[in-house]
Amino acid sequence: MRRGSWIPKIIKKRVCTTFVEDSLSNGTLCQCGGERETHDSMATGDSFGPANVTQWDSRQHSSEYPTDAFGELEFAGAGRRHSYFLRLSCDTPPQMIYNLMTARWGLSSPNLVVSVLGGEGHEKIKPWVRDILRKGLVRAAQSTGAWILTGGLREGVSRCVGDAVRDHKAAASAVSQNKVVAIGVAPWGRVYNRQQLVNAQGSFPARYDVQNTTKDTCCLDNSCQAFLLVDNGSVGKRGGETAFQANLEDYISNQRTGIWGSGSIEIPVLCMLISGEPGILERLDASLKKATPWLVLAGSGSVADFITDLVAGDGTACDRVHEKVRKHFPAEAEQEKLVQTALSIYQRRDLITVFNGEQEGPDDFDTVLLKALVRASKRVSSKASEYIEELRLAVAWNRVDIAKYDDLEESMTDALINNKPQFVRLFCGNGLNILNYLTNERLETLYRSLSDSSLAYMLLQKHLSERKSLDGSLPSVNGGASGVMKTFQMKVNTATSLMDLTLYEVSRLLQDLLDDVCGPFYYQTLGLGNEMGNRRTIKRVKKILQEECTYRNQRCPSPWAALFIWAVLQNRAEMAIFFWEMIKEPVLSALGACKILRELSKLESDTESKLGMKQLAQRFENLANDVFGECYQSNESRSFTLLIRKSTEWGGATCLEMATAADARLFFSHDGVQSLLSQIWWGDMERSTEVWKLVLTFFVPPIIYTNLIKFSEEELEEQKTLKVNIKDSVQTHSKRPFIVSRWRQFWYAPVTSFLGNVLMYFLFLCLFAYVLLVDFKPPPPEGPSVLEFVLYFWVFTLVCEEIRQVGFFTHTSRLGKLLFCRIFPWSFDFGRTLMAIDYMVFTLRLIHIFAIHKQLGPKIIILGKMMKDLFFFLFFLGVWLMAYGVAHQALLYAYDPRPTWIFRRVYYRPYLQIFGQIPINEMDADKLQESDCTYNRTEIEAGAEPCLSIYANWIVVMLLVIYLLFTNIVLVNLLIAMFSYTFSKVQEHSDIYWKFQRYNLIVEYHSRPCLAPPFIIFSHLHILIKRHIRRIPSGKNQHFVLELKGRKASCLNTWEAVQKEDLLSAQNKKLRESDTVRLQRTSVKVDSVLKQMAEIRDHDRRLRVLETQLDYCCSALSWMTEALSQSNVVSTSRPPPLHKGDMKELKCHGCLLQILHMQ
């Protein structure tokens, strides 16, 4: 089905079908506003003709037809993304339009709907009203995620709203722009250039030309993201959209906020009245009867001033309402009707909030919105608590600054589901008990509320389907619907398809992401065993769900960890960071989040989400590194214990194991981790021991009992703890003799095992080379020689060690092939060839051995990275080799069917030509030499040498020049550039890579027996007897895994938490002292000063007005006093009182006269 082709089937338009003559147009116009010629001839002369009908009515005189204007709208020269538009009948069900806007057009569901009404036509809007719309309404809409319903045309208030939205989008980020959604609801008959939108198949997009004028016009406003063009069949008249907009507001007010209606409150709808004409009073009265709150801007003009006067006064007396109606609407004819409407409005005045913008200002607008909606909710529900309603609205709008809190649990769920981390912080810091809040049932509810577009949702759905496939209870989607309703039903069904989700599916998902690093999550909660098989576990879960499910009423044992994992799976950065701050084991938890996010990023297909996961994973790795750095600076021995401590919350994992699985190279490069690895590497020997001393001790073992090699006498704290923990499990003597203990201290150290293996491996390679070159005798009975048998035994011991480590049998199969080929004469040469290749493989293994070296290790890593670049180079080279080789062969030899020679001349010879081996005698016609060749195909097929073709010899030379130019200059320099880039890129972090690789090598040699091949066979026999026959556990494993319980584990957790708090405090202090925060604080102070200065200027202006009025009063009183004093009407016994300033003036005048008289 083509895009939008289903819309005309369900969305209709209205067309006037009956001509009702307009008496003022001399019979040329219908009362619908259309001309006579646009009406059907049948409709003009039917029984509803002009003689019988005096008043045109949309329902009676118009009919519905499939809509012919829908799709996307491109404003000419606007330079912005396309808007959606739809021409629809005024009787269209609002449910259908709302589903279309959210499901098909992709508009996010609103947390608030503000319908701006009034100010129609060319009425002049006051400047302070524009300021309210720009600074108050749009800012409140951006912070709450609101829809703004406007008239959609470039006139009146609609134009002011459009300008405010446009200014906001010009200055805001892309994320903030998407939060303000302006929807234009306009009458179709008044739209300028509406014929450009008409297309029966839909317009994707329709190009729309607007009028370039600063005056009000009926053009569509390009600031709206969607246009609902309501058609009642009229042309050039308002009013057709009023009823539809009211129905749409009423429908939206019954929907719930959040993802697919998961919120706890219905979407609040508020009508905002600016100025307005008397006809809007009926609209206001009808909305109030549906309990829709209104916000009236006092002083904006006309109807808004009337409502302000009506609500402020006593409206019970009918005569007083009459006076107010006559005062505000003296020219209206139906004043009695207005009085009745006003009385009806006054009875519901609790739903009306008056906002005086001139006095309160735009900064308080969002608070006024909140109060208006809370007042409306209190009037609708007598049981509603003011604090709860304010809290729910604040959560829905993500406005912490206007929140008041009382009952927190339901609001906490809303904040978690709808990703409001600031509210989660607010609730947890103001009395919410997370232990009582998070039950297993509530945790399952949180997982069921995942967005259907998230990767975690799809992975959980897959595991849920696997569990349900046992009893065939898979979720189904109704396929009978069509069009918009089908899409809507599919989304609803998808959103509810996780209703049967349990913690078992969550555990399976975490098990897939964390591999074998951790034990299963939530198995103990569900009553499952860790060793149970998959099918057996699913049957057990099914049995549990069929019973009472008592586990759901139990508290979650680790609520912060559970919420942390829930947030990480959804890639919610800010919320995950908050839960990480509250968690017990911050280092291990950060590494676990790093592992989960990096595994999810490998499965994510969306590029932006993948990048976000990688960035958050790196952020958690940095946090783990920073916290461990604080721990290492505080107490070195405790930090070592922290690295190898088994965690109960993370399924027995350790920090080192989790960091290895998460590929946390930065964490491994920390000095504390490397210090622990060095300590394990050297054992009880001092780290400063020279290598030559160790090598000398190999050949002269009694040296270990001298002071040539120094052993540390002091034991670290974690080693003491280790010995206490394994004292009961390992049967050892209380104190070994000095000879035995010193022997074990030397030979059991990983560095000793490493050096022994290196020395013996060099000896093995020397033996291998000698046998291959000198002592590789013919098949029996002459061979094999004794040294060759020693070599085979040596290889066998290497194979045994490989099997002990990883269980792979690759070397065993190679050894078997070698012996099989060696015995028989017919396969002797093949066996020798296989042996030569094996020698190369064994020699290349030296690279792995020397990865431990501090200088060679990073270079080996760089070499490995360069091999990837080499493969890309070989791909390009292979393309050119084939292109040139085939053309070269075809031009030089007209016919040569020999496969071996074709391969040589197509691939081998062009490859050698890169290095300068060019057979010019076989390519250049001028230098050809006579040879025994033929052009006969039969002889060529019989084995004769074909002659060269000289027909297009110049082309061969040109191709050679181009080929050498491209390969020797372009491709080789490309390879050099790639190597240079790789080297410079990896060299910066090569030390980090090397330290990470060093850990794997230390673990490998730590677990190896002390003897090297071929003597390792004795160690294998000893291990077989000790582990599998006598059942004695190994003490070596305790160097990397340490289990703490009780008070010791609690003390370690407390100490780690203190270090984390110190780190967070230092980071917050650094953030507060940063230039950005200082600028923000300065900006707030400047705004406060400017606001105070504005208030001072306002007070000064008022004082000046008051002084002017006082001057006038004083002048008037002086004039009255003077008039009365000169009149005989009033007789007084004393002179009029004088002003205080006048008294002083008279006294000064009298003193002056006395002085003059004395003189």
Side-chain angles (χ1 to χ4, degrees), residues 504 523 529-538:
Y504 171 73
Y523 266 37
N530 294 344
E531 305 300 329
M532 297 173 63
N534 188 24
R535 295 184 63 85
R536 186 181 172 189
T537 304
I538 292 178

Side-chain angles (χ1 to χ4, degrees), residues 107-141:
L107 302 183
S108 57
S109 299
N111 294 320
L112 170 68
V113 175
V114 179
S115 184
V116 183
L117 302 169
E120 299 90 350
H122 303 286
E123 181 178 352
K124 186 176 180 180
I125 305 302
K126 298 180 179 180
W128 66 267
V129 175
R130 297 175 184 270
D131 198 39
I132 290 293
L133 294 176
R134 185 176 67 258
K135 297 181 180 180
L137 175 62
V138 175
R139 188 176 63 183

Side-chain angles (χ1 to χ4, degrees), residues 12-14 31-32 56-59 62 64 87-92 117 120 151 153 185-191 228-248 279 283:
K12 307 297 180 183
K13 67 176 181 179
R14 277 199 171 272
Q31 291 185 16
C32 72
W56 184 85
D57 183 75
S58 175
R59 295 180 181 273
S62 65
E64 290 187 343
R87 178 184 182 183
L88 66 153
S89 171
C90 57
D91 298 326
T92 305
L117 302 169
E120 299 90 350
L153 302 179
V185 184
W188 166 259
R190 297 195 71 246
V191 176
L228 302 178
L229 308 178
V230 185
D231 189 5
N232 67 343
S234 64
V235 178
K237 296 186 177 181
R238 298 191 186 95
E241 77 286 358
T242 304
F244 171 79
Q245 184 171 345
N247 294 333
L248 180 63
R283 166 84 160 85

Side-chain angles (χ1 to χ4, degrees), residues 1121-1139:
T1121 304
E1122 184 179 356
L1124 290 174
S1125 63
Q1126 296 177 0
S1127 173
N1128 297 326
V1129 177
V1130 179
S1131 59
T1132 59
S1133 59
R1134 58 186 179 87
L1138 297 175
H1139 191 266

Side-chain angles (χ1 to χ4, degrees), residues 778-794:
E782 298 181 22
S785 65
V786 176
L787 289 179
E788 190 173 348
F789 276 116
V790 172
L791 178 65
Y792 292 153
F793 177 74
W794 204 320

Side-chain angles (χ1 to χ4, degrees), residues 434-453:
I434 198 67
L435 293 174
N436 295 331
Y437 167 75
L438 192 66
T439 60
N440 293 321
E441 182 178 10
R442 191 164 267 152
L443 182 60
E444 289 180 347
T445 303
L446 292 177
Y447 277 104
R448 291 168 189 159
S449 67
L450 295 182
S451 172
D452 57 352
S453 61

Side-chain angles (χ1 to χ4, degrees), residues 892-893 895 898 905 928-937 939-940 943-950:
L892 286 180
Y893 298 94
Y895 182 70
R898 296 174 296 179
R905 290 167 179 162
L928 289 179
Q929 299 178 357
E930 294 183 3
S931 61
D932 187 12
C933 62
T934 181
Y935 289 101
N936 192 310
R937 288 176 174 258
E939 294 179 359
I940 293 174
E945 179 71 19
C947 293
L948 294 174
S949 174
I950 61 174

Side-chain angles (χ1 to χ4, degrees), residues 1002-1048:
I1002 290 176
V1003 171
E1004 177 185 346
Y1005 282 96
H1006 176 269
S1007 62
R1008 279 196 174 196
C1010 56
L1011 296 178
F1015 308 109
I1016 199 173
I1017 193 69
F1018 300 109
S1019 297
H1020 289 161
L1021 294 175
H1022 176 259
I1023 292 173
L1024 180 65
I1025 296 172
K1026 189 175 182 179
R1027 302 284 180 269
H1028 301 282
I1029 297 178
R1030 299 180 63 189
R1031 302 290 181 181
I1032 299 176
S1034 174
K1036 275 191 171 184
N1037 293 333
Q1038 301 294 330
H1039 288 99
F1040 287 97
V1041 178
L1042 179 63
E1043 187 172 359
L1044 297 179
K1045 295 181 180 179
R1047 187 171 178 272
K1048 293 181 180 179

